[in-house]
Amino acid sequence: MATNPVPDHVPPEMVRDFSLFTSPGMAPTPNGDPHAAVACVHAGPPIFYSPFNTRDGRGTWVITRARDQRRVLQDAETFSSHRSIFASALGENWPLIPLELDPPAHSVFRSLLNPLLSPKRVTVFEAAVRARASTLTERIAASGTSSDVMEDFAFPFAVNIFLRFLGLPDHRLDTFVGWANDLLHGDDVKRPAAARTIVAFIDELAAVRRKEPADDFMTFVVQAQVEGRRLTHEEVRGIGVLLFVAGLDTVAAAIGFDLAYLARNPKDQEWLRREPGRIVVAAEELLRAYPTVQIIRVAKKDIEFEGAPIRKGDYVSCATMIANRDPTEFESPNTIDLARPDNRHAAFGYGPHRCLGSHFARRVIVIGLEEWLARIPSFRIKQGTAPITSGGHVFGIENLILDWS
Ligand code: HEM
């Protein structure tokens, strides 16, 4: 692993060997559980510096207490969301919207997009979600006693539904999932190539919808007005790319992590099969235990934070997986209790940027688990296989082969 320079202002005693990325010789390991890899950080200080914790060769401060993370995420005056993480892969500098905007612009765009992802819109869509899940699980049950879950179910279910929700062409699902995979988990060649392809796709879609409006999200965006004006080309692109990328991997990964857990814990699996009414609460606990999206902010000014000399421009990581295993917030945080009461986990973030797609994600995950458990008998990880999980800003899972022979 390359050793990134530690900035001069970081005291050497505050530096730790820690990374949320999957790298040889560093936790989390490719075949390990990247979530469990962070369970030990709470025994240490409230903040430390990791030289390895981003993809772009820069380190981050790592906040280890959920309470302190909330302070950071509420304080957009000090900690900015503007990172251009996607555009920088192209050597450009434009924000994903609303994710990388700060106030006051953030709330203008957030209000614009809220109705697109409201609970009401999700409810209207539920019958289609269930129909898709039941078709796929029926097909899987009829075709044998084992399944490559990510390929046969999690992606074709969650991403198909997501594309239809946005009014995007679902026959290109495999292509889109491939782009997302390269973007989120690919190397330094695949990542910028995927970013370029996605931008070209969104730009073209916007151009088509300007000429031929339809009843879909891109038409909504190109026709939208903020503060009495149409959106700029860059704003349309920033929204289009974010919404497109946000749903291509996240929900499928959550379903994968959930089914991997249930495969390894047959008692919990049987309990949910017997009492499907418990799945809504159980899914929250699995989101707590296996959150997939990590959060980073950039310091806008110099500040002392819990004894750490954070300087303007430093990255500050508020990893949801660290917050979700904080023993001061959750009793026995490393025990998965599918009936955990009052589960205020951070899987969807906190504060002004809290996930806009959380209603959609929750319903798709719950319906997916309900339909899977209703049709697939007692399952386990297929002998001789092991799911492969990957770290990074968005965690992934692949090669989840389940067996019920
Ligand atoms: C299990 C699935 C998902 C998880 C765990 C998740 C998690 C998150 C997290 C942690 C944030 C906050 C990021 C930050 O503060 O910097 C976020 C923001 C966001 N998510 Fe999700 N997400 C999921 C699914 C989705 C889906 C399916 C969509 C779209 C349909 C979506 C749309 C968004 C948007 C638009 C934002 C930005 C909100 C803002 O900046 O105001 N997410 N998500």
Side-chain angles (χ1 to χ4, degrees), residues 32-286:
D33 171 356
H35 298 89
V38 304
C40 53
V41 299
H42 302 100
I47 180 166
F48 62 84
Y49 189 87
S50 157
F52 310 108
N53 205 21
T54 61
R55 213 190 269 279
D56 56 9
R58 293 191 40 190
T60 70
W61 292 100
V62 178
I63 310 274
T64 66
R65 307 285 187 266
R67 192 189 53 240
D68 291 338
Q69 288 194 6
R70 291 196 290 269
R71 275 168 62 202
V72 169
L73 297 175
Q74 279 289 19
D75 182 3
E77 285 290 307
T78 311
F79 299 102
S80 168
S81 290
H82 188 78
R83 284 185 62 212
S84 294
I85 188 169
F86 185 96
S88 64
L90 303 168
E92 296 170 9
N93 179 22
W94 44 269
L96 293 174
I97 297 176
L99 185 72
E100 295 180 332
L101 291 181
D102 291 329
H106 171 259
S107 55
V108 172
F109 284 93
R110 175 118 183 163
S111 310
L112 174 75
L113 295 175
N114 247 331
L116 264 187
L117 292 157
S118 67
K120 199 169 148 206
R121 269 210 80 207
V122 174
T123 307
V124 170
F125 211 65
E126 272 200 31
V129 179
R130 197 168 294 283
R132 176 76 185 163
S134 90
T135 305
L136 286 169
T137 48
E138 268 166 24
R139 196 183 298 159
I140 292 166
S143 68
T145 54
S146 124
S147 162
D148 180 338
V149 174
M150 300 313 290
E151 198 177 314
D152 298 343
F153 182 60
F155 281 114
F157 167 56
V159 182
N160 172 285
I161 286 302
F162 171 70
L163 293 174
R164 282 161 60 189
F165 190 70
L166 293 186
L168 289 168
D170 57 11
H171 65 272
R172 294 186 69 190
L173 185 143
D174 289 341
T175 310
F176 295 156
V177 168
W179 295 349
N181 194 38
D182 287 352
L183 180 76
L184 298 171
H185 312 297
D187 58 25
D188 289 348
V189 177
K190 284 186 174 163
R191 212 159 48 91
R196 251 186 305 279
T197 311
I198 292 171
V199 167
F201 170 72
I202 293 296
D203 284 353
E204 192 193 323
L205 190 65
V208 171
R209 287 295 170 250
R210 280 193 185 98
K211 279 199 215 119
E212 298 163 25
D215 183 16
D216 62 12
F217 106 99
M218 192 46 98
T219 305
F220 172 89
V221 177
V222 297
Q223 293 182 345
Q225 298 229 347
V226 288
E227 297 168 331
R229 61 165 178 85
R230 282 279 167 91
L231 306 195
T232 64
H233 176 73
E234 197 172 83
E235 287 165 347
V236 169
R237 176 191 276 186
I239 294 172
V241 169
L242 174 64
L243 280 191
F244 181 66
V245 172
L248 284 185
D249 202 75
T250 46
V251 181
I255 291 172
F257 279 112
D258 294 359
L259 289 177
Y261 171 81
L262 294 176
R264 291 181 171 124
N265 293 274
K267 275 194 191 145
D268 278 351
Q269 186 190 137
E270 284 318 316
W271 186 58
L272 292 187
R273 193 176 278 109
R274 230 178 23 250
E275 298 187 40
R278 307 257 186 194
I279 291 176
V280 170
V281 170
E284 291 303 306
E285 174 67 345
L286 292 169

Side-chain angles (χ1 to χ4, degrees), residues 291-347:
T292 49
V293 178
Q294 307 312 316
I295 300 176
I296 291 196
R297 295 288 184 263
V298 190
K300 276 175 152 170
K301 52 186 171 203
D302 295 356
I303 178 177
E304 290 287 311
F305 193 91
E306 294 296 314
I310 298 178
R311 293 289 166 264
K312 185 177 174 182
D314 282 0
Y315 284 172
V316 179
S317 159
C318 295
T320 56
M321 57 164 52
I322 292 181
N324 282 357
R325 305 265 179 153
D326 181 345
T328 62
E329 300 268 317
F330 301 100
E331 209 181 308
S332 308
N334 297 318
T335 302
I336 295 178
D337 169 5
L338 295 188
R340 187 181 286 273
D342 199 21
N343 195 343
R344 293 185 200 185
H345 62 75

